[in-house]
Amino acid sequence: MARKESTTQFKESIPTIIGAGITEKWYFTHLQAKYRVRMKIRPRFFGKETVFTLEKKLMEVLKNGGRAIVVFDADVSTWNKAEKERLEIMKSKYAKNNRVLLCDSMPSIEYWFLLHYVNTNRHFGTSKAVIMELVKHIKEFDKTETFLKNQKWVDDMSADGRLESAAQRAVAFGTSGESYTNVWKAMQELHIVELEASQENHGNRIDKLVEQDMLFFILGTVVSADSLVDAESCENALKIVRELKEDLPLSKLRDDKKLKARLDEAEQIIMHDMEAFANAKKQ
């Protein structure tokens, strides 16, 4: 259920929103006004969408003792190998940093907007393809300052439980489909929506695997020498482990330190093998 009064999960500092452009800037500006959320939105933290630029801004926030929510599109990683590698490195680097929340969307944040109206994770490929579908629901949607600065499109999009529905759909789909979004994490972190009850409706992968006594079998299998045979198998294994890590905060086992350590260890093993395969390819 959407919240009615201001609150924030960050206890030590107000989070800074870092985004790729004006769409993210105006979206979070309107959310701040609508839900009275305490967050910092500064023009200098929005701009060119490259992993290098995003991380540079992120490091600036961390250097000043702050916390950051980084919202960005992941579509560039599908056609730019160098950006894909940088993205994987950045995700791994900040995975255990509780002052950083990475909220990427494939192909773009417009897919998050679309989930407010449509329950789908089909392939779109580009932001433009998503927008072609989105304008069926937000008739005048346009990635221009003139349109985006108007509060009404966010108010209308979030009305009638649509924001909560979008979050539920994003959680249920995870990141294994053709399209995905992690913007729901920002909504939960800022307490704009509460997702535990919603997640229980869909079921949690970790809890289901534990019930079936399959969780540690799967973790053991994905990091075995028989499974990690090349770069592609490492990527697939890494995706499985990271999806489980994404589920953990909404699991009944979210406070299980041994499970957290096991997931972190699995991720490190896979990343090590990925690096080994990459180095071998260069030789």
Side-chain angles (χ1 to χ4, degrees), residues 195-204 207 250 252 254:
L195 287 173
E196 276 193 277
S198 301
Q199 180 64 18
E200 288 174 3
N201 292 333
H202 294 285
N204 183 281
D207 296 333
L250 298 173
K252 296 173 184 176
R254 57 185 163 287

Side-chain angles (χ1 to χ4, degrees), residues 65-108:
R67 295 175 181 253
I69 296 176
V70 189
V71 185
F72 60 100
D73 301 342
D75 57 345
V76 66
S77 66
T78 62
W79 68 76
N80 187 319
K81 186 177 179 181
E83 279 293 280
K84 181 178 180 179
E85 291 176 354
R86 293 188 192 103
L87 180 58
E88 290 296 335
I89 291 171
M90 184 174 77
K91 284 183 174 181
S92 178
K93 182 177 179 180
Y94 296 104
K96 294 185 284 185
N97 192 322
N98 61 10
R99 294 166 59 199
V100 177
L101 184 63
L102 301 178
C103 303
D104 58 329
S105 297
M106 177 67 80
S108 64

Side-chain angles (χ1 to χ4, degrees), residues 173-177 205-206 238-248:
F173 284 134
T175 59
S176 59
R205 280 170 289 194
I206 286 181
L238 189 62
K239 186 177 238 185
I240 291 171
V241 171
R242 284 183 171 164
E243 284 179 358
L244 291 172
K245 289 183 75 171
E246 287 174 3
D247 276 359
L248 188 57

Side-chain angles (χ1 to χ4, degrees), residues 7-261:
T7 183
T8 178
Q9 187 171 332
F10 294 122
K11 297 179 180 179
E12 297 176 7
S13 62
I14 299 170
T16 296
I17 307 298
I18 297 173
I22 60 172
T23 304
E24 291 82 359
K25 182 189 77 172
W26 282 113
Y27 176 59
F28 279 89
T29 296
H30 298 324
L31 288 178
Q32 183 179 48
K34 180 176 177 61
Y35 296 107
R36 304 189 298 282
V37 183
R38 297 183 68 203
M39 54 181 160
K40 297 177 184 177
I41 301 173
R42 305 287 186 267
R44 74 176 186 275
F45 289 116
F46 297 85
K48 188 176 180 182
E49 187 163 19
T50 65
V51 174
F52 175 80
T53 303
L54 289 170
E55 186 168 15
K56 186 177 179 181
K57 294 171 183 176
L58 171 56
M59 291 173 68
E60 179 183 343
V61 172
L62 295 180
K63 183 179 178 181
N64 292 324
R67 295 175 181 253
I69 296 176
V70 189
V71 185
F72 60 100
D73 301 342
D75 57 345
V76 66
S77 66
T78 62
W79 68 76
N80 187 319
K81 186 177 179 181
E83 279 293 280
K84 181 178 180 179
E85 291 176 354
R86 293 188 192 103
L87 180 58
E88 290 296 335
I89 291 171
M90 184 174 77
K91 284 183 174 181
S92 178
K93 182 177 179 180
Y94 296 104
K96 294 185 284 185
N97 192 322
N98 61 10
R99 294 166 59 199
V100 177
L101 184 63
L102 301 178
C103 303
D104 58 329
S105 297
M106 177 67 80
S108 64
I109 193 172
E110 284 78 24
Y111 170 67
W112 163 249
F113 300 158
L114 183 62
L115 283 184
H116 289 64
Y117 302 95
V118 182
N119 187 21
T120 181
N121 68 338
R122 72 172 178 84
H123 176 71
F124 286 99
T126 65
S127 172
K128 185 177 180 180
V130 182
I131 292 173
M132 287 178 66
E133 187 69 23
L134 184 61
V135 294
K136 296 177 183 178
H137 309 279
I138 307 177
K139 301 297 183 184
E140 298 179 357
F141 184 85
D142 186 37
K143 290 173 70 71
T144 62
E145 193 99 26
T146 301
F147 173 81
L148 294 171
K149 69 181 182 181
N150 191 324
Q151 172 89 31
K152 189 176 184 300
W153 70 275
V154 174
D155 287 347
D156 291 346
M157 184 172 68
S158 305
D160 301 322
R162 281 192 287 268
L163 178 57
E164 187 178 52
S165 293
Q168 291 175 2
R169 290 164 178 168
V171 172
F173 284 134
T175 59
S176 59
E178 297 283 0
S179 300
Y180 70 82
T181 178
N182 283 312
V183 177
W184 66 268
K185 293 181 179 181
M187 302 301 109
Q188 178 175 255
E189 196 76 8
L190 295 166
H191 282 197
I192 293 174
V193 295
E194 301 293 343
L195 287 173
E196 276 193 277
S198 301
Q199 180 64 18
E200 288 174 3
N201 292 333
H202 294 285
N204 183 281
R205 280 170 289 194
I206 286 181
D207 296 333
K208 286 181 178 179
L209 289 172
V210 169
E211 288 173 7
Q212 298 165 7
D213 200 24
M214 289 289 290
L215 179 60
F216 289 103
F217 171 77
I218 289 174
L219 281 177
T221 301
V222 297
V223 298
S224 69
D226 291 335
S227 297
L228 303 177
V229 295
D230 53 27
E232 184 177 358
S233 63
C234 286
E235 285 185 14
N236 292 334
L238 189 62
K239 186 177 238 185
I240 291 171
V241 171
R242 284 183 171 164
E243 284 179 358
L244 291 172
K245 289 183 75 171
E246 287 174 3
D247 276 359
L248 188 57
L250 298 173
S251 165
K252 296 173 184 176
L253 300 175
R254 57 185 163 287
D255 297 321
D256 189 324
K257 293 181 180 179
K258 289 185 179 179
L259 178 54
K260 289 180 182 178

